Amino acid sequence: AQTVTQSQPEMSVQEAETVTLSCTYDTSESDYYLFWYKQPPSRQMILVIRQEAYKQQNATENRFSVNFQKAAKSFSLKISDSQLGDAAMYFCAFSLQGGSEKLVFGKGTKLTVNP
Amino acid sequence: GAVVSQHPSRVICKSGTSVKIECRSLDFQATTMFWYRQFPKQSLMLMATSNEGSKATYEQGVEKDKFLINHASLTLSTLTVTSAHPEDSSFYICGGGLYEQFFGPGTRLTVL
């Protein structure tokens, strides 16, 4: 079975600074998908970024980028130029087949952005 | 991204009653939808996988007779909590998608 571990229950960052959230996972599969989701106080889950395991290039979405280390089974999220609106719970998730397969979530990291 | 709606957003019911939660995919056809439960300050836990036209697949420890799932069309999946009790109070979220999973806004269930 796949597992996802987020070792940082809480993180804080100053507005405009950069922060990195950690995620490790365990699987015996070679093809899979990794995701970062954001859950603000409204509790709506929002997809931040997606990475296919077969792609060596790290995914980026504007201020959000990942450091995907397949051999180390590590998938960290970097948020650049942090904004107050980035404050939320961030969940790392694993799936074997993108949207048509169940997601396994980490426990989450609560990000606080200080003005 | 894809849009998933969920209704109701909040429901309060008495112990012993049944509650139905609807999940609709608005701009894609979903042969598979997923139902998660989230307790306060915890992560999402998969309850069951809803399959269009066939029986749902439940995760270990989830009572299939208590959490009835129906996926009668490619755009609608429903979760019915039967004979609800206070311990069923939680936040229920549905999700689905093609290349990535998108989520409904969730339903906060409170059982008195």
Side-chain angles (χ1 to χ4, degrees):
Chain A
Q2 289 78 25
T3 59
V4 177
T5 301
Q6 292 179 251
S7 59
Q8 305 155 317
E10 296 186 20
M11 291 283 285
S12 64
V13 63
Q14 290 296 124
E15 196 175 2
E17 296 294 308
T18 296
V19 65
T20 299
L21 308 185
S22 300
C23 173
T24 58
Y25 59 94
D26 189 30
T27 183
S28 58
E29 303 291 334
S30 57
D31 292 328
Y32 47 86
Y33 297 77
L34 295 164
F35 306 88
W36 279 98
Y37 284 89
K38 169 185 177 181
Q39 188 179 43
S42 68
R43 302 189 81 170
Q44 170 74 61
M45 293 289 284
I46 301 166
L47 177 65
V48 175
I49 203 164
R50 162 177 170 256
Q51 174 81 44
E52 294 92 331
Y54 67 85
K55 289 186 177 180
Q56 293 185 339
Q57 187 173 6
N58 290 324
T60 62
E61 286 289 341
N62 301 314
R63 297 182 296 107
F64 299 87
S65 61
V66 298
N67 184 2
F68 173 49
Q69 301 289 328
K70 190 172 184 179
K73 297 181 181 176
S74 171
F75 183 61
S76 61
L77 174 70
K78 185 172 81 172
I79 306 174
S80 303
D81 186 25
S82 296
Q83 301 175 359
L84 295 177
D86 295 333
M89 283 293 291
Y90 285 81
F91 293 99
C92 179
F94 173 103
S95 174
L96 287 176
Q97 287 187 14
S100 61
E101 183 62 43
K102 66 181 181 182
L103 287 169
V104 177
F105 287 93
K107 291 188 175 182
T109 297
K110 182 179 180 181
L111 179 66
T112 300
V113 181
N114 300 310
Chain B
V3 180
V4 178
S5 70
Q6 195 172 333
H7 179 80
S9 60
R10 180 170 293 191
V11 58
I12 301 172
C13 68
K14 293 182 178 180
S15 184
T17 60
S18 294
V19 174
K20 179 186 283 188
I21 302 171
E22 292 188 348
C23 177
R24 294 181 184 274
S25 55
L26 299 185
D27 54 2
F28 66 98
Q29 293 186 327
T31 56
T32 304
M33 297 287 281
F34 301 92
W35 287 95
Y36 300 84
R37 183 161 64 179
Q38 185 180 32
F39 290 107
K41 298 187 178 183
Q42 293 189 23
S43 187
L44 280 72
M45 292 295 294
L46 179 68
M47 297 176 62
T49 301
S50 172
N51 303 301
E52 189 267 335
S54 64
K55 291 183 179 180
T57 305
Y58 292 83
E59 295 299 299
Q60 191 173 8
V62 177
E63 300 176 60
K64 61 180 182 181
D65 294 331
K66 181 169 194 56
F67 299 99
L68 300 179
I69 290 174
N70 184 278
H71 194 151
S73 78
L74 288 172
T75 59
L76 174 64
S77 175
T78 61
L79 168 68
T80 301
V81 184
T82 63
S83 186
H85 289 96
E87 58 265 29
D88 299 323
S89 298
S90 189
F91 191 67
Y92 294 86
I93 310 175
C94 66
L98 298 176
Y99 303 106
E100 53 267 312
Q101 208 164 119
F102 294 94
F103 292 89
T107 297
R108 184 188 300 275
L109 171 63
T110 303
V111 185
L112 302 177

